Each structure stands twice: as structure tokens, then as C-alpha cells.
Amino acid sequence: MRFYQFVLLVFLGIMSCKKDDLQNVDVSNVDVQFSVERFDVDFYTSKKENLLELKQKYPYFFPQQITDSISLAKINSKDEQELFAETQKIYKNITPLKEQLTSLFKHVKYYNPNFSSPKVITMLTNIDYDSRVLYADSLLIVSLDVYLGKNHKFYADYPKYIKENNTKNHIVVDAANAIIAKQIVPSKNRSFISKMIEEGKKMYLLDMYLPSISDKEKIGFEANKYDWVLNNEEQIWAYFIEKELLFSTDTNLNQRFIDVAPFSKFYMEHDNLSPGRVGVYIGWQIVRSYMNYNNDVSLQELLNKNATDLFKESKYKPRK
């Protein structure tokens, strides 16, 4: 009996090493060069006499309809200056952020050699959480005022599931997601299982690009709701099977289980205990299972893999 236990432990150790090797790759020799420009600092410390210089440095932030009087009124606004001051308390020194982004860009380039690190620009957007991070090939724009901490007074009226990710540790996750969104070609398959796996591929890229970030941080659930999904994965999967949802093309399933929301909609008494986006979590576990059983598959091959075939070959079994 002891011999078989020993063999099992060795096997599990090998499988664990394979997974760890895949995620904890050596990126020390990957060269990335990028700058970080503080538009937030440059803007809110500007005076009328150097406004032209500011506009020349950041022309994309000054469209024709933004007159000098509008810019100066914004700079001199008491509320705007308070927001800037609060942001500076946390982000006066952004060296830790640059280090996180350096690691992210190194990992992205490791898997995508043609990737060019974007110029990073920090700014304030009056807490526009729908525009936390914007990525457009050569630019990565970060709205620092969205990341002051989930308990900050400025977020008092925000829903918990939104402000859960208003933290400095989540900037790099949102930056990675913005880059990943440009790398994933949307599937034409409208089935629920296809949509879950498409989201699961995005989450798996987060695994590869952010190996030192926790799963909870990557998925962005509140702690109690993250525990709920871990403890109820088998029940969630059983529900999807019982209700014959996997191959359904009902678009309402997006709102119920894929989109950002305070909770998922099983239409049961205790729905409020669940996090939104449980379909994303399940898709993530399916893709992880597939990659665990197919260690020779590259990331590019994964992205090109048909969702239906991936599901069949994943051997996915939910956590009990």
C-alpha cells in the first residue's frame, strides 16, 4: 500500500512541476523598454503660462473642443485638486507599479515575441471605472483615481462588487486584461459553453502573464464570494448540466453568468451569496484542465482551439 501511495505522490509531483514550469518561466533575459509619463501630475500642477507646452506633450488629451479655458477651469477646480491630492498620497512614487508592469510586459513578450511594450500614461478620469485601463498598441493609459483602495471615501456609494477591485494591486490585472482583449479573436460560436471557454482562455492567459498574482485577484471576486465559488463548483456545474445550458444560445445567459454583476442568476433563494461571472470561473477551470492534460499545446494553439473540441478533450471534473 505504501508503494502505491509513493507512486501516486511522485505522479502528482510531476504533474505539479509541469504546471509550475509552464507558469513560472524565466523572463530575466526578456528585454522590455517603456516609459511612464505622469499626465496627472503634469496636468494638475500646470499654470496658464505652460499650458501650450502641456498640449504639445499630450496632444491626444486635448481635442479641438477642449479649449484652454475648459482646461484651466478643470485644473483650478477644488474638487479636481482634492482628487489629485488623494491620488498623490498613494501614487506619488509609482516605482512599484512600474515593476509590476515590467514583469507583465516581460511575460507577454516571452509568449508573444513580436509584442512591443506600450508607453504608459497615468491620468485621472473622475473615477470612471468603465475606463480603468485603456490599451491601444503603443499606449497604455491607467486611471489612477480608480485604484485608491476599496474602502476609500470617494467610493462610498459604489457597489461592493465594483469597488472590490479599486485597489493598487489590481492595476496590473486590468492592464493584462486590456492587452489580452486585443489578443483574443471573438468566437462566432454562440453557445454558452463556447462563451465560457472563450472567457476561460482569457483567464488562462492571466495565469501565464501574471504567475505571481493570486487566483482571487485575477478573477476579482470578494473574498466570501470567491470562497463560495470554490465550495460550490460541483453544484454550479450540475446546475448547468441539469438545465441543459451548455449548448444553449440564449443570450440572457451572458447577463446571468458571464457579465460583471453583483451575483449570478440561478433564480434560486440564495443567489446573492454567489459572485457574478461564475461562467467565467467555470470556463477558466475547463481550460486549465485541458492544458493540464495537453502540456505540449502552445498558447497560440490554445487560442486557436475550437471550443467544442477543447471541452471534449479537457476531461474537466468540477472540484467537489
Side-chain angles (χ1 to χ4, degrees):
M1 185 67 179
R2 289 180 180 176
F3 172 77
Y4 290 112
Q5 289 175 334
F6 173 76
V7 171
L8 178 60
L9 288 173
V10 170
F11 174 75
L12 292 175
I14 292 172
M15 290 301 291
S16 175
C17 286
K18 285 182 177 179
K19 182 176 180 182
D20 289 343
D21 288 345
L22 183 63
Q23 295 189 26
N24 294 306
V25 296
D26 182 8
V27 297
S28 58
N29 292 323
V30 178
D31 182 46
V32 294
Q33 301 291 332
F34 67 99
S35 62
V36 179
E37 296 185 356
R38 300 296 306 268
F39 175 72
D40 53 325
V41 175
D42 292 345
F43 182 79
Y44 286 102
T45 58
S46 287
K47 305 295 181 183
K48 182 177 181 180
E49 50 268 26
N50 69 331
L51 192 57
L52 177 60
E53 181 182 348
L54 183 71
K55 292 165 65 175
Q56 290 173 339
K57 184 177 180 180
Y58 302 100
Y60 27 80
F61 291 143
F62 293 93
Q64 190 173 5
Q65 61 268 31
I66 302 297
T67 64
D68 288 358
S69 59
I70 292 175
S71 295
L72 290 170
K74 187 175 178 68
I75 291 169
N76 295 319
S77 165
K78 181 180 177 181
D79 290 341
E80 298 271 352
Q81 284 294 331
E82 181 185 6
L83 181 61
F84 174 60
E86 287 294 307
T87 306
Q88 282 294 95
K89 289 179 182 179
I90 300 172
Y91 297 107
K92 189 175 184 66
N93 176 9
I94 59 165
T95 299
L97 173 59
K98 186 168 184 180
E99 290 173 349
Q100 285 187 312
L101 292 174
T102 298
S103 177
L104 167 62
F105 295 162
K106 280 176 174 282
H107 281 85
V108 176
K109 189 168 184 178
Y110 177 90
Y111 293 107
N112 307 270
N114 293 327
F115 173 77
S116 295
S117 301
K119 178 194 294 185
V120 178
I121 301 179
T122 62
M123 66 179 301
L124 308 185
T125 58
N126 296 110
I127 315 177
D128 181 2
Y129 61 80
D130 287 328
S131 302
R132 295 166 177 263
V133 174
L134 300 177
Y135 171 64
D137 298 328
S138 61
L139 288 179
L140 184 80
I141 301 172
V142 180
S143 302
L144 291 180
D145 52 330
V146 184
Y147 301 101
L148 301 179
K150 62 183 179 181
N151 296 319
H152 196 279
K153 62 182 180 179
F154 287 165
Y155 310 142
D157 296 330
Y158 283 60
K160 286 184 66 177
Y161 74 100
I162 293 293
K163 61 186 179 183
E164 176 67 23
N165 298 313
N166 289 16
T167 64
K168 62 193 306 184
N169 289 332
H170 207 75
I171 296 178
V172 71
V173 177
D174 286 340
N177 276 320
I179 293 170
I180 289 167
K182 298 288 187 178
Q183 297 178 336
I184 298 280
V185 178
S187 172
K188 294 181 180 179
N189 190 327
R190 296 171 55 243
S191 69
F192 183 48
I193 186 65
S194 177
K195 291 175 181 176
M196 284 198 293
I197 288 174
E198 182 176 330
E199 295 299 320
K201 288 179 179 180
K202 295 176 184 177
M203 293 302 302
Y204 191 80
L205 285 183
L206 282 184
D207 288 339
M208 300 299 101
Y209 295 166
L210 301 173
S212 63
I213 300 295
S214 70
D215 286 356
K216 178 195 169 298
E217 191 71 56
K218 282 181 283 194
I219 194 70
F221 293 161
E222 299 166 54
N224 61 324
K225 296 202 169 191
Y226 180 68
D227 290 340
W228 185 94
V229 81
L230 291 181
N231 294 328
N232 289 277
E233 183 176 335
E234 185 178 28
Q235 289 76 13
I236 295 168
W237 186 245
Y239 178 90
F240 290 167
I241 299 296
E242 178 186 344
K243 300 297 183 180
E244 300 181 345
L245 301 183
L246 295 188
F247 297 98
S248 170
T249 58
D250 182 0
T251 57
N252 288 327
L253 295 175
N254 293 352
Q255 296 177 340
R256 293 175 62 189
F257 303 116
I258 300 290
D259 297 342
V260 175
F263 53 84
S264 293
K265 300 172 182 64
F266 298 92
Y267 302 139
M268 300 175 73
E269 183 179 357
H270 299 296
D271 278 3
N272 63 310
L273 299 179
S274 71
R277 303 170 69 230
V278 296
V280 175
Y281 177 83
I282 296 296
W284 188 13
Q285 306 318 307
I286 292 172
V287 172
R288 279 179 163 178
S289 181
Y290 170 79
M291 292 301 283
N292 279 339
Y293 284 105
N294 297 274
N295 285 323
D296 57 337
V297 172
S298 69
L299 281 190
Q300 193 55 52
E301 289 171 331
L302 169 65
L303 298 186
N304 293 332
K305 184 73 175 180
N306 175 276
T308 303
D309 292 339
L310 187 154
F311 174 53
K312 290 178 180 177
E313 297 170 25
S314 71
K315 303 180 184 179
Y316 168 67
K317 291 183 179 178
R319 180 200 306 260
K320 295 185 177 180

